[in-house]
Amino acid sequence: DVQLQASGGGEVQPGGSLRLSCAASGFTFSDYTMSWFRQAPGEGPEWVSSIARAGGAGIYADSVKGRFTISRDSAKSTVYLQMNNLKPEDTAVYYCNENFCSGNDCDRLYWGQGTQVTVSS
């Protein structure tokens, strides 16, 4: 029974920062690459970042590269996303997932609890 619970979102002004967390359970956390996705109103999920099983350097979508940093804590089965220099276009609900998807293929995945990030003046 997979559970994915994101938290840490909020409303910030452009240029602000947030740190998101996603607690995972129901699977062996250390066996999976973990990813962050986001979904803006009326749009499908967009891949943001991924981190390998052993941690280390993450990979990032071009839109967030240089601003976001992904990390994970195996002892807590939690993946994090540090978001700096936030922009209005970052506004979305953010989710983590142990699977990767793109486009319509994202419909097949289980999506847990997301967290809302709103960037506006």
Side-chain angles (χ1 to χ4, degrees):
D1 186 20
V2 173
Q3 292 190 334
L4 301 164
Q5 298 182 235
S7 61
E11 184 173 343
V12 298
Q13 294 184 334
S17 297
L18 288 170
R19 185 173 185 258
L20 307 184
S21 300
C22 185
S25 63
F27 62 96
T28 303
F29 182 77
S30 61
D31 284 350
Y32 288 83
T33 292
M34 295 298 298
S35 297
W36 284 96
F37 297 82
R38 64 189 183 186
Q39 186 168 12
E43 301 182 11
E46 174 192 13
W47 173 75
V48 174
S49 182
S50 296
I51 186 167
R53 296 165 59 180
I59 56 173
Y60 303 88
D62 288 343
S63 58
V64 307
K65 196 172 299 180
R67 300 187 297 118
F68 291 10
T69 303
I70 190 171
S71 61
R72 66 191 293 165
D73 186 332
S74 61
K76 297 180 179 180
S77 295
T78 299
V79 62
Y80 304 93
L81 188 68
Q82 177 67 46
M83 307 188 296
N84 297 326
N85 192 24
L86 284 160
K87 303 176 183 296
E89 50 263 46
D90 296 320
T91 296
V93 179
Y94 284 70
Y95 302 86
C96 75
N97 207 287
E98 79 278 18
N99 297 295
F100 179 81
C101 70
S102 63
N104 293 336
D105 186 56
C106 294
D107 293 340
R108 70 180 174 85
L109 301 186
Y110 165 75
W111 299 98
Q113 177 182 310
T115 186
Q116 176 71 50
V117 172
T118 302
V119 185
S120 68
S121 300

